[in-house]
Amino acid sequence: MAFTELLDALGGVGRFQLVYTTLLLLPCSLLACHNFLQNFTATVPHHHCQGPANHTAAANDSVAWLRAAVPLDRLGTPEPCRRFVEPQWALLSPNTSIQGAATEGCKDGWVYDRSAFPSTITTEVRGGRGGGGGLPKAEAGAALSPLQWDLVCEARALRDVAQSIYMAGVLVGAAVFGSLADRLGRKAPLVWSYLQLAVSGAATSYFGSFSAYCVFRFLTGMTFSGIILNSLSLVVEWMPTRGRTVAGVLLGYSFTLGQLILAGVAYLIRPWRWLQFAVSVPFLIFFLYSWWLPESPRWLLLHGKPQLAVKSLRKVAAMNGRKEEGERLTKEVVNFYIQNESASVRTSTSVLDLFRTPAIRKVTCCLTVVWFSNSLAYYGLAMDLQKFGLSVYLVQVLFGVIDIPAMLVATTTMIYVGRRATVASFLILAGLMVIANMFVPEGMQTLRTAQAALGKGCLASSFICIYLFTGELYPTEIRQMGMGFASVNARFGGLAAPLVTTLGEFNTILPPVGFGATSILAGLAVCFLAETRNAPLVETIESMERRVKEGLSKKEAEEKTEEISLQQLGASPLKETI
């Protein structure tokens, strides 16, 4: 609590905190654009087989040739993946049908409907033939692939593989940038992440190879963890206690804002290369102004750099209108903080601490299921908007807007009902929504979309709740380790989501059953966790085990909370020093 009191003495939630939080959350909103970018860059337009090489382009586009060369599917539209071996000209006669005519795959490529999407990664082919608005250098063949893209028919699963590769980058980035943040501070990995995203995002739009696309998407995914984790740490560590809840909620809403921004930008910029470029370049601006952002004072103090911490704190005090208090800040105050902070830091921790004792092991196992399942179902719903049969722009807006009331309801119920009931209810409700959607006829697209949007809103809300719930369940000495382990499980869920979607190629009911069942399973797992509403935070593993064994009553918890509150009302040595 000592450092929080110091921040309060230097202006609390002042001008610096407001500006600092805004500058950190703005990149987070655009980061959401990259998470859901393939909803637009990987859309699959209507397509059919292209004619043999000895047929002219005019013949390929003619209605007569299309009717004679391409069979119709059960809906009466041209079959996207098959063509007749020989044109069936008899089909041009009215009321004529042919049974048993030999068909073959699209050996000469496909013809795409480019009315809505001039180009996507699914329509990219050798020599930039998929062009339709790509970057000029890629169009000219500066770095074109020797392999065709055409991510349709037999190759349609590669779209989901590309998204899984992006999510694998998010997983690797969580480990890499999380470790670097502990060694180098929060600012350095954050600044590098901005630069890496700008460069890798722009490179994704330039190179014409699918393998290069996957590599640069992987590098882009790595920066997601570097930006989110370090931005959240910096916001929390510069924010007094009374502002942290609001800051955490704003982080959730910034992600929602990013989904709405993506829908607008994608509507205005249809070619996928320019869209990819447009959502990547702003991170160069973030990279430039991020040099102004001060490092976390907590990290500086814990790593023996009190002079830099004092220098940053004095600038913050001046910006908050507390210049005199800042100038009075001395090394003695910093040393006092170091002693108190170091006393609560465990010298060594490992991931095994999450499984050594019964109570912690139970929490870890339950949270592993919850985080993995929540992420799996969330990205499974939010990553494939075309299946709803409506405008992908409209669905993206709806999926973003639904998060606003859902998170408000979740925040209210967390405060007045409890964490466990809120998280479990939202997860089970989301799972039921997803499964119920299977029984809605395909013709009722509006109902199907609305039901899916409600399910996605429930999953987004449970995500926000589980962040807080997890932090309250783990004791202080392993809280950061527990949060990191939970985050890794969420990344595995996001990585698996596109792969589960590909199961729809074998049976259409498998993806919704998988997403819905795991969400319900996660809701049931939450029921085995302890309620933390109005309960004091546990400091050590031993005290948590003792609490479980002794069965700490609600009355005792309230008495401890009241005692802590009374202690906080007492005089602060830091304030007296200042």
Side-chain angles (χ1 to χ4, degrees), residues 359-360 362-364 366-367 370-371 419-420 423 465-476 478-479 482-483 525-526 528-533 535-541 544 547-548:
I360 300 295
K362 176 183 175 182
V363 169
T364 300
C366 290
L367 288 178
V370 172
W371 280 80
R419 278 69 158 140
R420 182 172 59 187
V423 177
C465 300
I466 200 64
Y467 267 102
L468 175 62
F469 197 22
T470 301
E472 293 175 336
L473 284 168
Y474 280 115
T476 300
I478 59 169
R479 183 168 296 126
M483 291 292 292
V526 172
F528 292 95
L529 297 172
E531 177 58 66
T532 59
R533 172 175 169 264
L537 293 178
V538 182
E539 297 298 329
T540 64
I541 296 176
M544 183 169 180
R547 170 184 287 190
V548 172

Side-chain angles (χ1 to χ4, degrees), residues 398-474:
L398 179 61
F399 273 32
V401 170
I402 195 66
D403 289 355
I404 299 175
M407 285 192 286
L408 284 176
V409 172
T411 303
T412 303
T413 54
M414 271 200 305
I415 295 173
Y416 295 104
V417 178
R419 278 69 158 140
R420 182 172 59 187
T422 298
V423 177
S425 300
F426 274 111
L427 284 171
I428 294 174
L429 181 60
L432 293 176
M433 286 283 187
V434 174
I435 293 177
N437 224 6
M438 295 190 305
F439 302 100
V440 179
E442 290 188 6
M444 304 177 68
Q445 297 291 359
T446 303
L447 178 59
R448 286 169 55 85
T449 305
Q451 214 167 356
L454 288 174
K456 189 261 183 184
C458 291
L459 291 168
S461 301
S462 62
F463 243 139
I464 297 299
C465 300
I466 200 64
Y467 267 102
L468 175 62
F469 197 22
T470 301
E472 293 175 336
L473 284 168
Y474 280 115

Side-chain angles (χ1 to χ4, degrees), residues 239-436:
M239 187 71 68
T241 302
R242 62 189 179 92
R244 288 178 186 170
T245 302
V246 176
V249 173
L250 288 177
L251 177 62
Y253 279 116
S254 70
F255 212 71
T256 297
L257 176 63
Q259 298 178 54
L260 301 179
I261 292 174
L262 175 61
V265 174
Y267 183 81
L268 296 174
I269 305 175
R270 301 297 179 92
W272 81 268
R273 292 185 183 274
W274 285 112
L275 176 58
Q276 175 78 45
F277 189 75
V279 297
S280 302
V281 167
F283 283 88
L284 280 178
I285 300 175
F286 305 146
F287 167 73
L288 293 176
Y289 77 58
S290 63
W291 291 95
W292 171 83
L293 301 174
E295 177 60 270
S296 165
R298 293 175 180 268
W299 184 88
L300 291 173
L301 294 174
L302 290 175
H303 288 77
K305 300 180 180 180
Q307 293 297 341
L308 292 177
V310 170
K311 184 178 179 181
S312 297
L313 289 169
R314 286 175 176 171
K315 290 181 179 179
V316 170
M319 192 170 179
N320 285 343
R322 300 290 182 89
K323 187 175 182 180
E324 293 184 1
E325 288 84 345
E327 291 177 349
R328 295 172 186 167
L329 190 63
T330 63
K331 202 169 182 178
E332 286 72 19
V333 176
V334 174
N335 288 332
F336 178 85
Y337 169 70
I338 292 175
Q339 295 169 3
N340 283 275
E341 194 74 12
S342 299
S344 64
V345 176
R346 194 177 180 186
T347 56
S348 63
T349 58
S350 73
V351 70
L352 296 179
D353 292 327
L354 302 177
F355 298 93
R356 281 200 174 101
T357 58
I360 300 295
R361 184 164 55 246
K362 176 183 175 182
V363 169
T364 300
C365 291
C366 290
L367 288 178
T368 296
V369 175
V370 172
W371 280 80
F372 176 86
S373 302
N374 200 340
S375 181
L376 176 72
Y378 177 83
Y379 286 109
L381 276 181
M383 289 296 187
D384 186 12
L385 304 186
Q386 274 192 298
K387 63 178 178 286
F388 298 109
L390 301 177
S391 168
V392 290
Y393 306 102
L394 178 62
V395 177
Q396 181 67 64
V397 170
L398 179 61
F399 273 32
V401 170
I402 195 66
D403 289 355
I404 299 175
M407 285 192 286
L408 284 176
V409 172
T411 303
T412 303
T413 54
M414 271 200 305
I415 295 173
Y416 295 104
V417 178
R419 278 69 158 140
R420 182 172 59 187
T422 298
V423 177
S425 300
F426 274 111
L427 284 171
I428 294 174
L429 181 60
L432 293 176
M433 286 283 187
V434 174
I435 293 177

